[in-house]
Amino acid sequence: MRRLLVTGGAGFIGSNFVRMVLSQHRDAFIVNLDKLTYAGNLENLGEYLKHPNHKFIHGDICDGALIKKIFDEYKVDTVLNFAAESHVDRSILGPKVFIETNITGTLTLLEAARNRNIHRFVQISTDEVYGSLGADGKFTEDTPVNPSSPYSASKAAADHLVKAFGHTWGLKYNITRCSNNYGPYQFPEKMIPLMINNAMNNKELPIYGDGLYVRDWLYVYDHCTAIWKVLTEAAASELYNIGGGGEKTNLEVVEAILQRLGKPKSLIKHVTDRPGHDRRYATDTTKITKKLNWHPTVSFEEGLGKTIDWYLENKQWLANVVSGEYQRYYHSMYADR
Ligand code: NAD
Ligand code: TYD
């Protein structure tokens, strides 16, 4: 039995990963540690919350005593660190919690893992650590790290710490750097669910700047299968880029959402740009394709359709997450823009 500590498993990607593992891999026991910040939600786990191979623990990855206790009590042999403050705009509003969770939290997990000779420490990172691309080219695993937002700077720092623990103490690790994800259970502060929610409610769709910024979109399930491949098949110390090859401008994405929902383009509103906005991300996935035979299975068109259908079918989930704190956030981010 694999004994996995999944952190941030009540968030968007973490909960999709927990669902995938519990439904497909009977030989895995998951301890799911999550602080349940505004982005964490036990509803994301549904019936899997009570699965016999799943134990949810409400807590903080910065809490060293708790992490030690979890390692000892559950004989953890693998860590998958999804827990993070994950939204660029919030990191511009207030970077401190990004430093605490993304850097100090990762360090706390590494400290607990290093003496225990664990099987693997997988750090779930992002292609945003590479910074911005011009019109051409793609990020490879050899592209120098050059982060431009407080979020991506904190993720890059965490990646460096993970590597340093491997180099200094022989910790067996992998780092995955994935492009933008979308799919079920994504909190509607990120572009795709925010635009779906607004369009469903006939509210304006706030496009930053000219809307010609480019992201490489990957359906969340494909990200989860890539992480599982890395965990089970990659050699230690290897870093893998993960991406969908689905480069789109933000305007293209928003127009596709409007078309699918039968809403007018007049809902689009160009608003003041994000400070320091990275122009383009594109990920070269040759390494994971060739070495691990991983391929995305869901095209952008299919994935966007599935995602929109999911939000239409889960209006109560959406209503719950946009109540309370979300309204304050939305107002402070968009009211005077
Ligand atoms: P998310 O914001 O939806 O979820 C983050 C989860 O971490 C939440 O459940 C939250 O409660 C939990 N958390 C936050 N601080 C914590 C702490 N101190 N201790 C314990 N739990 C804490 O994020 P996501 O989109 O699911 O991203 C997951 C990971 O994947 C992050 O590390 C992110 O950097 C990375 N990533 C995200 C994307 C993307 O497009 N969303 C792309 C590439 C990489
Ligand atoms: P986002 O989902 O925040 O991901 P990231 O910034 O980590 O790539 O944003 C995706 C793109 O959409 C990015 O170029 C910023 C843009 N965007 C908007 O134009 N309007 C919005 O309201 C949001 C949230 C994002």
Side-chain angles (χ1 to χ4, degrees), residues 149-170:
S149 72
Y151 162 67
S152 54
S154 68
K155 293 294 290 185
D159 288 4
H160 286 313
L161 280 171
V162 173
K163 273 188 175 179
F165 270 65
H167 185 78
T168 309
W169 288 290

Side-chain angles (χ1 to χ4, degrees), residues 56-215:
F56 180 79
I57 295 177
H58 183 197
D60 191 330
I61 59 167
C62 300
D63 182 346
L66 174 65
I67 306 292
K68 274 200 193 105
K69 191 164 167 275
I70 291 173
F71 268 83
D72 293 340
E73 201 169 322
Y74 294 97
K75 311 271 179 283
V76 169
D77 59 30
T78 303
V79 176
L80 293 127
N81 185 26
F82 291 86
E85 287 293 332
S86 67
H87 191 37
V88 173
D89 288 321
R90 286 188 194 250
S91 80
I92 296 167
L93 285 178
K96 196 156 184 269
V97 67
F98 286 72
I99 306 309
E100 286 160 6
T101 288
N102 300 359
I103 306 178
T104 308
T106 302
L107 175 66
T108 309
L109 292 167
L110 288 166
E111 290 278 24
R114 83 173 159 97
N115 294 320
R116 289 178 164 80
N117 197 24
I118 65 165
H119 166 69
R120 202 58 59 90
F121 188 106
V122 184
Q123 175 68 3
I124 313 304
S125 187
T126 163
D127 66 350
E128 299 192 27
V129 298
Y130 296 122
S132 186
L133 290 166
D136 305 315
K138 291 188 173 194
F139 302 128
T140 73
E141 286 80 357
D142 296 324
T143 302
V145 165
N146 184 26
S148 29
S149 72
Y151 162 67
S152 54
S154 68
K155 293 294 290 185
D159 288 4
H160 286 313
L161 280 171
V162 173
K163 273 188 175 179
F165 270 65
H167 185 78
T168 309
W169 288 290
L171 179 79
K172 296 192 212 79
Y173 74 87
N174 294 109
I175 297 171
T176 59
R177 291 182 176 155
C178 190
S179 63
N180 287 60
N181 284 215
Y182 67 103
Y185 304 104
Q186 188 168 31
F187 191 80
E189 64 185 352
K190 303 282 173 21
M191 193 204 26
I192 287 185
L194 184 144
M195 299 299 180
I196 293 173
N197 182 39
N198 284 15
M200 278 166 61
N201 292 294
N202 300 309
K203 278 177 65 179
E204 284 171 343
L205 310 193
I207 285 272
Y208 298 165
D210 64 8
L212 299 178
Y213 293 84
V214 173
R215 297 293 183 263

Side-chain angles (χ1 to χ4, degrees), residues 199-316:
M200 278 166 61
N201 292 294
N202 300 309
K203 278 177 65 179
E204 284 171 343
L205 310 193
I207 285 272
Y208 298 165
D210 64 8
L212 299 178
Y213 293 84
V214 173
R215 297 293 183 263
D216 167 358
W217 294 99
L218 181 69
Y219 191 66
V220 63
Y221 178 77
D222 283 329
H223 185 188
C224 295
T225 63
I227 293 168
W228 187 257
K229 275 238 168 210
V230 170
L231 170 65
T232 55
E233 296 178 28
S237 318
E238 291 287 330
L239 186 157
Y240 281 96
N241 283 350
I242 303 169
E247 276 187 64
K248 300 269 180 248
T249 66
N250 295 336
L251 269 175
E252 284 171 333
V253 173
V254 163
E255 284 171 8
I257 291 170
L258 288 170
Q259 193 185 22
R260 179 105 190 174
L261 286 169
K263 302 284 179 171
K265 282 191 191 173
S266 56
L267 284 177
I268 294 175
K269 184 184 175 204
H270 288 265
V271 299
T272 310
D273 211 344
R274 170 190 282 172
H277 197 168
D278 284 341
R279 190 63 168 168
R280 175 172 166 262
Y281 302 144
T283 322
D284 183 329
T285 53
T286 308
K287 181 175 175 184
I288 192 164
T289 304
K290 288 215 166 132
K291 282 200 167 182
L292 302 182
N293 193 26
W294 172 85
H295 304 269
T297 59
V298 182
S299 70
F300 183 72
E301 289 64 31
E302 185 191 350
L304 188 66
K306 281 157 90 98
T307 304
I308 292 173
D309 289 349
W310 187 87
Y311 282 91
L312 287 169
E313 285 157 15
N314 289 275
K315 290 200 175 108
Q316 193 54 52

